[in-house]
């Protein structure tokens, strides 16, 4: 393992200590695999994010290795050893496998990827990188995205390899590229997104020359597929410090190309500064939503927080009295959300859920100090459906006023709404509001068969249920017959 340098000996010696501890934990698996490669005449090294995370004291059970063995040779070595093998990434030189093994005194499952030394680059028009294999680990490391990911530990001898000063950059918490950033981003423009993602995940700064290259080369991101951009964006949004990464995307001009609705929120304030900085407000809402998460990072909630106000630029109006309005921005924003998320190839279900939250995020503001009827509360729950808990969190997060009295009043009002929902849930099946008669019962009462009229009757009874709450069966039948008589 490395020796501490003179500039920051304490930080580096701490990193050494963490790395040794982490590597000892995974040694039973890593060393066993390395010996098999050695016996077959090949070398193996722990590499990239795995080494970085070991030095940070956060190495998990996902291990990345690099080797001079070609993919077909890797398959021959790992198939008899692993519990499962997959070849999804074999076109890019990567073989994946799973190994259950005893480590740290317990049975653990390891997800392993072994990648042949390689270099990859985009040409000026292709949306897929071209991959070529290499013969030395030094050539493999120089083609990696950042110096903190360009370190390796040769196994089983545990020789530390750091030709680009990654350990120094790790101790300084800065992202630099092994070669020039211009060459790196030309080879793979997605690395510009990865710079923002790692800044957000690791809370690292990005070196000024890297930021300058990202800014100058932002248009190169256009050649990368929507799916790869979406995946990087997700990792950034789900990180511990997404604001840091998002701000970098906006400041470098990358966001204008991959998520233009975000920089568009930096509206020019009116001369009297009578409305909020919507961009800053959005990032605060995102952070406040994160603080309300209870079961780990929630992509649906975080996307809704990030996109909830994207309809504001299109709906901004300067009123005669000097006020600024954004009428129906939630409706416009929901449509814009659907369009952008679809372009980024998100799943239909996620597009639907996030768009719905954006559409509903203002609904509570009609609640006032509790003037809603029970019917309005039922409709709020019905319209939110399974998204109700997320809507609660989004609505609470959307309060960023510095006026403590106003903030406390809004919080108390929403407390009141949640209490009313809870009381109604005790009395009724609010989570699955449905008419008091089902389709078969409607057909029996009306004496008709399946057809459009049953849907109309069902809708009538549903509205009645929302308005009045649960009805006795006889009262529901009487109401249905009265409606039918008026329809006939």
């Amino acid at each position: 393992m490395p020796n501490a340098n003179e500039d920051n000996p304490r930080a580096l010696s701490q990193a050494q200590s963490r790395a040794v501890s982490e590597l000892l934990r995974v040694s039973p698996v890593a060393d066993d695999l390395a010996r098999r490669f050695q016996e077959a005449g090949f070398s193996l090294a722990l590499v990239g994010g795995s080494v970085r995370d070991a030095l940070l004291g956060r190495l998990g059970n996902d291990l990345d290795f690099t080797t001079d063995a070609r993919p077909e040779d890797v398959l021959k070595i790992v198939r008899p050893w692993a519990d499962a093998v997959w070849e999804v990434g074999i076109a890019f030189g990567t073989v994946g496998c799973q190994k259950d093994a005893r480590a740290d005194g317990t049975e653990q499952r390891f997800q392993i990827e072994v990648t042949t030394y390689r270099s990859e680059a985009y040409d000026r028009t292709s949306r897929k990188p071209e991959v070529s294999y290499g013969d030395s680990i030094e050539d493999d490391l120089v083609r990696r995205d950042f110096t903190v990911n360009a370190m390796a530990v040769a196994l089983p001898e545990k020789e530390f390899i750091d030709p680009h000063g990654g350990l120094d950059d790790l101790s300084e918490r800065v992202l630099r590229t092994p070669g020039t950033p211009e060459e790196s981003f030309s080879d793979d423009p997605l690395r510009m997104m990865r710079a923002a993602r790692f800044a957000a995940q690791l809370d690292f700064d990005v070196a000024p020359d890297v930021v300058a290259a990202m800014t100058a080369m932002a248009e190169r991101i256009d050649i990368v597929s929507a799916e790869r951009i979406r995946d990087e964006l997700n990792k950034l949004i789900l990180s511990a410090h997404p604001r840091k990464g998002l701000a970098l995307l906006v400041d470098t001009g990358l966001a204008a190309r991959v998520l233009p609705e975000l920089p568009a929120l930096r509206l020019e304030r009116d001369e009297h500064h009578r409305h909020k900085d919507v961009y800053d407000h959005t990032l605060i809402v995102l952070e406040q939503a994160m603080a309300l998460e209870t079961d780990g990072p929630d992509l649906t909630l975080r996307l809704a927080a990030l996109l909830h106000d994207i309809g504001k630029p299109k709906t901004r109006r300067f009123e005669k009295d000097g006020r600024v309005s954004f009428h129906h921005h939630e409706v416009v924003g929901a449509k814009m959300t659907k369009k952008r998320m679809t372009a980024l190839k998100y799943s239909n279900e996620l597009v639907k859920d996030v768009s719905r939250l954006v559409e509903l995020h203002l609904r509570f503001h009609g609640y006032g100090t509790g003037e809603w009827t029970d019917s309005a509360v039922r409709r709020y729950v019905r319209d939110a459906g399974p998204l109700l808990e997320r809507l609660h969190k989004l609505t609470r997060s959307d309060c960023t006023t510095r006026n403590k009295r106003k903030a406390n009043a809004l919080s108390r009002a929403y407390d009141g709404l949640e209490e009313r929902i809870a009381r109604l849930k005790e009395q009724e099946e609010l989570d699955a509001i449905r008419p008091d008669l089902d389709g078969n019962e409607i057909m029996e009462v009306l004496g008709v068969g399946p057809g459009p009229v049953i849907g109309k009757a069902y809708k009538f009874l549903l509205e009645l249920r929302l308005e009045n709450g649960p009805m006795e069966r006889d009262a529901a039948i009487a109401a249905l017959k009265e409606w039918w008589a008026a329809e006939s």
Side-chain angles (χ1 to χ4, degrees):
M1 293 302 294
N3 294 317
N5 69 11
E6 295 178 0
D7 295 333
N8 199 354
R10 178 171 294 180
L12 295 190
S13 61
Q14 288 176 347
Q16 282 180 277
S17 177
R18 286 192 295 263
V20 168
S21 175
E22 295 286 84
L23 291 173
L24 283 174
R25 182 180 68 81
V26 303
S27 278
V29 175
D31 289 352
D32 185 22
L33 184 58
R35 279 190 290 270
R36 291 171 182 270
F37 273 79
Q38 213 171 44
E39 290 166 3
F42 300 108
S43 59
L44 188 74
L46 195 69
V47 74
S50 291
V51 176
R52 179 199 69 220
D53 288 346
L55 289 162
L56 291 171
R58 45 176 275 175
L59 180 62
N61 284 11
D62 291 354
L63 304 178
D64 293 328
F65 296 92
T66 189
T67 180
D68 55 346
R70 296 299 190 255
E72 58 273 17
D73 296 313
V74 175
L75 284 172
K76 290 176 185 177
I77 296 169
V78 301
R79 273 194 172 130
W81 174 80
D83 296 305
V85 176
W86 51 90
E87 303 178 28
V88 176
I90 201 163
F92 297 99
T94 299
V95 173
C97 64
Q98 176 184 301
K99 179 69 174 178
D100 295 337
R102 193 165 185 81
D104 242 9
T106 61
E107 288 295 325
Q108 298 184 29
R109 175 162 293 176
F110 292 87
Q111 303 291 336
I112 291 167
E113 287 191 347
V114 182
T115 302
T116 302
Y117 299 156
R118 68 185 186 189
S119 62
E120 59 187 40
Y122 285 81
D123 64 26
R124 303 303 299 182
T125 57
S126 172
R127 296 180 73 85
K128 292 184 178 180
E130 295 180 1
V131 176
S132 59
Y133 298 130
D135 296 307
S136 75
I137 193 166
E138 289 77 17
D139 289 344
D140 179 83
L141 293 178
V142 75
R143 65 93 187 166
R144 291 181 177 263
D145 51 10
F146 303 105
T147 60
V148 296
N149 297 329
M151 298 178 283
V153 177
L155 300 171
E157 56 272 16
K158 307 288 193 303
E159 178 193 350
F160 186 74
I161 304 168
D162 181 23
H164 304 290
L167 188 58
D168 289 338
D169 289 341
L170 193 75
S171 70
E172 294 173 13
R173 303 180 69 82
V174 65
L175 294 172
R176 305 183 198 276
T177 54
T180 69
E182 290 80 8
E183 289 173 333
S184 181
F185 299 153
S186 181
D187 285 348
D188 185 352
L190 190 67
R191 289 173 177 169
M192 296 186 286
M193 293 281 297
R194 287 166 65 85
R197 189 249 289 187
F198 283 124
Q201 284 183 330
L202 303 172
D203 195 20
F204 279 22
D205 293 325
V206 180
D209 63 325
V210 176
V211 174
M214 292 168 67
T215 306
M217 300 177 68
E219 78 283 352
R220 278 285 284 156
I221 200 69
D222 296 348
I223 204 156
V224 181
S225 70
E227 291 87 351
R228 294 187 79 201
I229 289 172
R230 175 204 62 208
D231 291 346
E232 282 300 321
L233 196 58
N234 285 349
K235 292 172 185 175
L236 189 163
I237 291 169
L238 290 171
S239 70
H241 308 278
R243 180 178 188 138
K244 191 166 192 172
L246 292 167
L248 183 60
L249 291 181
V250 170
D251 293 343
T252 57
L254 280 161
R257 312 193 80 87
V258 301
L259 191 65
E261 295 80 5
L262 183 60
L265 294 176
R266 294 197 294 190
L267 303 174
E268 292 181 13
R269 294 189 179 199
D270 61 288
E271 59 180 324
H272 302 294
H273 294 259
R274 289 183 179 174
H275 73 271
K276 296 177 182 175
D277 179 334
V278 184
Y279 169 70
D280 190 56
H281 162 77
T282 294
L283 296 180
I284 293 172
V285 171
L286 172 59
E287 291 177 325
Q288 294 185 165
M290 290 167 57
L292 296 177
E293 292 172 336
T294 53
D295 298 314
D298 182 341
L299 183 62
T300 305
L301 176 63
R302 293 191 184 193
L303 282 169
L306 186 63
L307 301 173
H308 78 284
D309 272 349
I310 62 171
K312 279 190 171 180
K314 281 192 174 182
T315 58
R316 182 173 61 157
R317 297 290 182 273
F318 294 95
E319 306 295 348
K320 291 180 180 179
D321 60 3
R323 293 184 302 108
V324 180
S325 67
F326 304 98
H327 294 307
H328 307 299
H329 77 267
E330 73 281 12
V331 177
V332 172
K335 292 177 181 176
M336 292 172 65
T337 295
K338 182 177 181 181
K339 183 177 180 180
R340 175 54 53 197
M341 289 185 66
T342 300
L344 286 170
K345 309 295 185 182
Y346 280 98
S347 70
N348 291 338
E349 182 179 2
L350 190 57
V351 172
K352 179 181 175 183
D353 287 349
V354 176
S355 300
R356 187 63 165 156
L357 285 169
V358 172
E359 183 181 0
L360 293 175
H361 83 273
L362 275 190
R363 180 77 65 86
F364 162 72
H365 293 283
Y367 186 74
T369 55
E371 292 86 356
W372 277 5
T373 61
D374 284 351
S375 170
V377 175
R378 291 188 195 99
R379 292 174 193 276
Y380 187 76
V381 174
R382 188 274 309 268
D383 290 347
L387 297 170
L388 182 63
E389 287 304 314
R390 288 189 174 107
L391 182 58
H392 288 334
K393 293 173 183 175
L394 178 61
T395 302
R396 288 185 181 278
S397 303
D398 196 24
C399 175
T400 61
T401 179
R402 294 179 183 177
N403 184 324
K404 288 188 176 180
R405 190 174 69 175
K406 183 178 179 181
N408 289 336
L410 284 168
S411 181
R412 285 195 303 271
Y414 207 86
D415 288 343
L417 175 57
E418 289 202 60
E419 288 168 7
R420 286 183 65 185
I421 290 172
R423 284 199 303 271
L424 283 172
K425 280 187 174 182
E426 289 179 5
Q427 301 164 17
E428 315 170 18
E429 292 184 21
L430 271 192
D431 291 330
I433 294 177
R434 56 179 63 86
D436 296 283
L437 302 175
D438 63 24
N440 290 328
E441 290 171 313
I442 291 171
M443 287 189 286
E444 183 181 339
V445 170
L446 300 184
V448 297
V453 71
I454 305 304
K456 290 182 180 179
Y458 188 94
K459 186 176 180 181
F460 162 74
L461 288 173
L462 178 60
E463 287 297 316
L464 207 60
R465 168 73 171 77
L466 287 166
E467 193 65 36
N468 302 322
M471 299 174 66
E472 295 291 337
R473 177 179 170 80
D474 290 345
I477 290 173
L480 178 61
K481 287 182 175 178
E482 184 179 340
W483 171 83
W484 181 238
E487 288 285 307
S488 302

